Amino acid sequence: MKLPRRFFQPLAIGAPAPLRTLPVRLERMIHFVPPHVEKMRSKVPELAKQVDVVLGNLEDAIPIDAKLDARRGFIEMAKATDFGSTGLWIRMNALNSPWALDDLVEIVGAVGDKLDVVMVPKVEGSWDIHYVDQLLAQLEAKAHARKPILIHAILETAEGVKNVEEIAQASPRMHGMSLGPADLAASRGMKTTRVGGGHPDYKVLSDAGSGPRAAAQQDLWHYTVARMVDACMANGIKAFYGPFGDFSDAEACEAQFRNAFLMGCAGAWTLHPTQIAIARRVFSPDPAEVAFARKIIAAMPDGAGAVMIDGKMQDDATWKQAKVLVDLADLVEAKDGAAAS
Ligand code: GLV
Ligand code: MG
């Protein structure tokens, strides 16, 4: 483990200094775009006004014979679009694939200053982050980049989950992590073909008695989301739910996103345009909750002591809970308010 004072030194001569705190940004939905499809690229300027993050997907779901076109298409769309306050990310190919190196070399070389975050798939341990960290520093130095590109890990292997804490603290470039339920299910030997969400057979039965037994479906992802949120928040980085594959079931998508939001996640991936509104609704705090949170803050200006509001006890800890909601509401207001005006 490096000494703290060395942890924040650039990893290449001429690379920008690593950030000490994450930029405060609203990232309710990370919207996936397949950049090899011209029709999809042409929608990006409009899309950038509607979502918090546009991500050019280079990895899974991009056909092997379209990998180079996807990379080229991403560079073209990054150059052609003014993203304003909307984030621009890529999901690079896996580190053991034939495309990973050139994804970073070509994209950072061409549009490094526009790129905010590199999402790295199938991260197994801190060694994967260290490799990308060093390579990004070299490429940033070569491109005379002004700001460091951040790293976002996908938590989607059993080994990655085992090493989740060391991944979260591997580098000052760490932006956060997303749960990848499809790869994770395969890696763990889970018996499901679904991408996220529940499974009707994963349930608890009430005790046998006289009448029919009630069954309640359980959340397959609860354990992993909880571990991810704790690892991320303990290190000042952000946790995200990943993909929800059944585009025809908006209700289940909303329920999965909402569980993640309540557990501490900042956002989720949106793979289909209909999921954008769901993510916006779920990852923006409920106005009634925000109004109550503002009452708590107003009643305890210095954040200490105890007061009763509407029959409920408030103290230093509930003041902090209220602050989480109010800070998020202010960010949402700034972004959505500016978009509406
Ligand atoms: C996402 O990449 C997943 O595997 O679920
Ligand atoms: Mg995956």
PDB file of all heavy atoms in Angstrom, residues 17-32:
ATOM      1  N   ALA A  17      -2.502  16.288 -12.205  1.00  0.00           N
ATOM      2  CA  ALA A  17      -2.535  15.774 -10.826  1.00  0.00           C
ATOM      3  C   ALA A  17      -3.876  15.086 -10.572  1.00  0.00           C
ATOM      4  O   ALA A  17      -4.918  15.575 -10.986  1.00  0.00           O
ATOM      5  CB  ALA A  17      -2.360  16.930  -9.853  1.00  0.00           C
ATOM      6  N   PRO A  18      -3.828  13.934  -9.882  1.00  0.00           N
ATOM      7  CA  PRO A  18      -5.085  13.263  -9.523  1.00  0.00           C
ATOM      8  C   PRO A  18      -5.968  14.168  -8.658  1.00  0.00           C
ATOM      9  O   PRO A  18      -5.464  15.004  -7.910  1.00  0.00           O
ATOM     10  CB  PRO A  18      -4.614  12.050  -8.716  1.00  0.00           C
ATOM     11  CG  PRO A  18      -3.207  11.820  -9.144  1.00  0.00           C
ATOM     12  CD  PRO A  18      -2.644  13.172  -9.456  1.00  0.00           C
ATOM     13  N   LEU A  19      -7.273  13.983  -8.767  1.00  0.00           N
ATOM     14  CA  LEU A  19      -8.203  14.780  -7.959  1.00  0.00           C
ATOM     15  C   LEU A  19      -8.214  14.253  -6.526  1.00  0.00           C
ATOM     16  O   LEU A  19      -8.085  13.055  -6.299  1.00  0.00           O
ATOM     17  CB  LEU A  19      -9.624  14.676  -8.535  1.00  0.00           C
ATOM     18  CG  LEU A  19      -9.814  15.131  -9.978  1.00  0.00           C
ATOM     19  CD1 LEU A  19     -11.272  14.962 -10.389  1.00  0.00           C
ATOM     20  CD2 LEU A  19      -9.374  16.584 -10.147  1.00  0.00           C
ATOM     21  N   ARG A  20      -8.378  15.175  -5.582  1.00  0.00           N
ATOM     22  CA  ARG A  20      -8.482  14.752  -4.169  1.00  0.00           C
ATOM     23  C   ARG A  20      -9.925  14.494  -3.784  1.00  0.00           C
ATOM     24  O   ARG A  20     -10.202  13.718  -2.880  1.00  0.00           O
ATOM     25  CB  ARG A  20      -7.856  15.800  -3.264  1.00  0.00           C
ATOM     26  CG  ARG A  20      -6.364  15.795  -3.510  1.00  0.00           C
ATOM     27  CD  ARG A  20      -5.575  16.489  -2.442  1.00  0.00           C
ATOM     28  NE  ARG A  20      -4.168  16.197  -2.710  1.00  0.00           N
ATOM     29  CZ  ARG A  20      -3.351  15.621  -1.857  1.00  0.00           C
ATOM     30  NH1 ARG A  20      -3.771  15.271  -0.661  1.00  0.00           N
ATOM     31  NH2 ARG A  20      -2.100  15.387  -2.193  1.00  0.00           N
ATOM     32  N   THR A  21     -10.861  15.149  -4.437  1.00  0.00           N
ATOM     33  CA  THR A  21     -12.279  14.842  -4.187  1.00  0.00           C
ATOM     34  C   THR A  21     -12.967  14.705  -5.546  1.00  0.00           C
ATOM     35  O   THR A  21     -12.533  15.305  -6.535  1.00  0.00           O
ATOM     36  CB  THR A  21     -12.989  15.963  -3.399  1.00  0.00           C
ATOM     37  OG1 THR A  21     -12.699  17.201  -4.037  1.00  0.00           O
ATOM     38  CG2 THR A  21     -12.544  16.022  -1.960  1.00  0.00           C
ATOM     39  N   LEU A  22     -14.023  13.946  -5.572  1.00  0.00           N
ATOM     40  CA  LEU A  22     -14.756  13.747  -6.830  1.00  0.00           C
ATOM     41  C   LEU A  22     -15.494  15.023  -7.213  1.00  0.00           C
ATOM     42  O   LEU A  22     -16.022  15.698  -6.335  1.00  0.00           O
ATOM     43  CB  LEU A  22     -15.835  12.680  -6.640  1.00  0.00           C
ATOM     44  CG  LEU A  22     -15.481  11.220  -6.778  1.00  0.00           C
ATOM     45  CD1 LEU A  22     -16.763  10.400  -6.706  1.00  0.00           C
ATOM     46  CD2 LEU A  22     -14.775  10.958  -8.102  1.00  0.00           C
ATOM     47  N   PRO A  23     -15.574  15.334  -8.504  1.00  0.00           N
ATOM     48  CA  PRO A  23     -16.431  16.451  -8.902  1.00  0.00           C
ATOM     49  C   PRO A  23     -17.883  16.137  -8.493  1.00  0.00           C
ATOM     50  O   PRO A  23     -18.300  14.985  -8.570  1.00  0.00           O
ATOM     51  CB  PRO A  23     -16.310  16.482 -10.434  1.00  0.00           C
ATOM     52  CG  PRO A  23     -15.313  15.447 -10.810  1.00  0.00           C
ATOM     53  CD  PRO A  23     -14.972  14.636  -9.624  1.00  0.00           C
ATOM     54  N   VAL A  24     -18.609  17.141  -8.035  1.00  0.00           N
ATOM     55  CA  VAL A  24     -20.000  16.903  -7.626  1.00  0.00           C
ATOM     56  C   VAL A  24     -20.871  16.955  -8.875  1.00  0.00           C
ATOM     57  O   VAL A  24     -21.024  18.015  -9.492  1.00  0.00           O
ATOM     58  CB  VAL A  24     -20.466  17.984  -6.606  1.00  0.00           C
ATOM     59  CG1 VAL A  24     -21.920  17.747  -6.214  1.00  0.00           C
ATOM     60  CG2 VAL A  24     -19.549  17.972  -5.402  1.00  0.00           C
ATOM     61  N   ARG A  25     -21.371  15.820  -9.302  1.00  0.00           N
ATOM     62  CA  ARG A  25     -22.159  15.772 -10.538  1.00  0.00           C
ATOM     63  C   ARG A  25     -23.358  14.880 -10.335  1.00  0.00           C
ATOM     64  O   ARG A  25     -23.302  13.879  -9.613  1.00  0.00           O
ATOM     65  CB  ARG A  25     -21.321  15.228 -11.696  1.00  0.00           C
ATOM     66  CG  ARG A  25     -20.170  16.114 -12.036  1.00  0.00           C
ATOM     67  CD  ARG A  25     -19.437  15.596 -13.238  1.00  0.00           C
ATOM     68  NE  ARG A  25     -20.047  16.089 -14.457  1.00  0.00           N
ATOM     69  CZ  ARG A  25     -19.403  16.172 -15.615  1.00  0.00           C
ATOM     70  NH1 ARG A  25     -18.165  15.791 -15.692  1.00  0.00           N
ATOM     71  NH2 ARG A  25     -20.011  16.617 -16.684  1.00  0.00           N
ATOM     72  N   LEU A  26     -24.428  15.260 -11.009  1.00  0.00           N
ATOM     73  CA  LEU A  26     -25.634  14.449 -10.989  1.00  0.00           C
ATOM     74  C   LEU A  26     -25.467  13.346 -12.041  1.00  0.00           C
ATOM     75  O   LEU A  26     -25.178  13.637 -13.203  1.00  0.00           O
ATOM     76  CB  LEU A  26     -26.795  15.367 -11.354  1.00  0.00           C
ATOM     77  CG  LEU A  26     -28.202  14.907 -11.068  1.00  0.00           C
ATOM     78  CD1 LEU A  26     -28.392  14.581  -9.599  1.00  0.00           C
ATOM     79  CD2 LEU A  26     -29.183  15.990 -11.485  1.00  0.00           C
ATOM     80  N   GLU A  27     -25.615  12.083 -11.618  1.00  0.00           N
ATOM     81  CA  GLU A  27     -25.403  10.957 -12.548  1.00  0.00           C
ATOM     82  C   GLU A  27     -26.500   9.921 -12.325  1.00  0.00           C
ATOM     83  O   GLU A  27     -26.242   8.788 -11.951  1.00  0.00           O
ATOM     84  CB  GLU A  27     -23.997  10.386 -12.331  1.00  0.00           C
ATOM     85  CG  GLU A  27     -22.928  11.356 -12.817  1.00  0.00           C
ATOM     86  CD  GLU A  27     -21.521  11.116 -12.311  1.00  0.00           C
ATOM     87  OE1 GLU A  27     -21.355  10.520 -11.222  1.00  0.00           O
ATOM     88  OE2 GLU A  27     -20.575  11.552 -12.981  1.00  0.00           O
ATOM     89  N   ARG A  28     -27.748  10.367 -12.538  1.00  0.00           N
ATOM     90  CA  ARG A  28     -28.893   9.490 -12.257  1.00  0.00           C
ATOM     91  C   ARG A  28     -29.009   8.383 -13.286  1.00  0.00           C
ATOM     92  O   ARG A  28     -29.434   7.279 -12.969  1.00  0.00           O
ATOM     93  CB  ARG A  28     -30.195  10.314 -12.241  1.00  0.00           C
ATOM     94  CG  ARG A  28     -30.259  11.313 -11.125  1.00  0.00           C
ATOM     95  CD  ARG A  28     -31.356  12.314 -11.363  1.00  0.00           C
ATOM     96  NE  ARG A  28     -31.074  13.148 -12.530  1.00  0.00           N
ATOM     97  CZ  ARG A  28     -31.824  14.158 -12.942  1.00  0.00           C
ATOM     98  NH1 ARG A  28     -32.942  14.440 -12.296  1.00  0.00           N
ATOM     99  NH2 ARG A  28     -31.493  14.868 -13.994  1.00  0.00           N
ATOM    100  N   MET A  29     -28.693   8.697 -14.523  1.00  0.00           N
ATOM    101  CA  MET A  29     -28.739   7.650 -15.556  1.00  0.00           C
ATOM    102  C   MET A  29     -27.477   7.733 -16.417  1.00  0.00           C
ATOM    103  O   MET A  29     -27.050   8.805 -16.834  1.00  0.00           O
ATOM    104  CB  MET A  29     -30.016   7.738 -16.409  1.00  0.00           C
ATOM    105  CG  MET A  29     -30.164   8.877 -17.356  1.00  0.00           C
ATOM    106  SD  MET A  29     -30.288  10.497 -16.603  1.00  0.00           S
ATOM    107  CE  MET A  29     -31.908  10.528 -15.927  1.00  0.00           C
ATOM    108  N   ILE A  30     -26.885   6.558 -16.619  1.00  0.00           N
ATOM    109  CA  ILE A  30     -25.726   6.431 -17.503  1.00  0.00           C
ATOM    110  C   ILE A  30     -26.301   5.785 -18.756  1.00  0.00           C
ATOM    111  O   ILE A  30     -26.621   4.584 -18.752  1.00  0.00           O
ATOM    112  CB  ILE A  30     -24.650   5.542 -16.849  1.00  0.00           C
ATOM    113  CG1 ILE A  30     -24.224   6.132 -15.492  1.00  0.00           C
ATOM    114  CG2 ILE A  30     -23.453   5.359 -17.777  1.00  0.00           C
ATOM    115  CD1 ILE A  30     -23.478   5.147 -14.603  1.00  0.00           C
ATOM    116  N   HIS A  31     -26.483   6.579 -19.795  1.00  0.00           N
ATOM    117  CA  HIS A  31     -27.208   6.062 -20.962  1.00  0.00           C
ATOM    118  C   HIS A  31     -26.250   5.459 -21.984  1.00  0.00           C
ATOM    119  O   HIS A  31     -25.341   6.125 -22.473  1.00  0.00           O
ATOM    120  CB  HIS A  31     -28.070   7.150 -21.596  1.00  0.00           C
ATOM    121  CG  HIS A  31     -29.015   6.576 -22.598  1.00  0.00           C
ATOM    122  ND1 HIS A  31     -30.126   5.849 -22.240  1.00  0.00           N
ATOM    123  CD2 HIS A  31     -28.975   6.554 -23.954  1.00  0.00           C
ATOM    124  CE1 HIS A  31     -30.742   5.413 -23.318  1.00  0.00           C
ATOM    125  NE2 HIS A  31     -30.062   5.813 -24.377  1.00  0.00           N
ATOM    126  N   PHE A  32     -26.491   4.192 -22.312  1.00  0.00           N
ATOM    127  CA  PHE A  32     -25.618   3.446 -23.214  1.00  0.00           C
ATOM    128  C   PHE A  32     -25.968   3.711 -24.679  1.00  0.00           C
ATOM    129  O   PHE A  32     -27.121   3.550 -25.078  1.00  0.00           O
ATOM    130  CB  PHE A  32     -25.737   1.939 -22.937  1.00  0.00           C
ATOM    131  CG  PHE A  32     -24.817   1.456 -21.849  1.00  0.00           C
ATOM    132  CD1 PHE A  32     -24.765   2.104 -20.619  1.00  0.00           C
ATOM    133  CD2 PHE A  32     -23.993   0.356 -22.050  1.00  0.00           C
ATOM    134  CE1 PHE A  32     -23.915   1.656 -19.611  1.00  0.00           C
ATOM    135  CE2 PHE A  32     -23.133  -0.099 -21.050  1.00  0.00           C
ATOM    136  CZ  PHE A  32     -23.098   0.549 -19.836  1.00  0.00           C
TER     137      PHE A  32
END
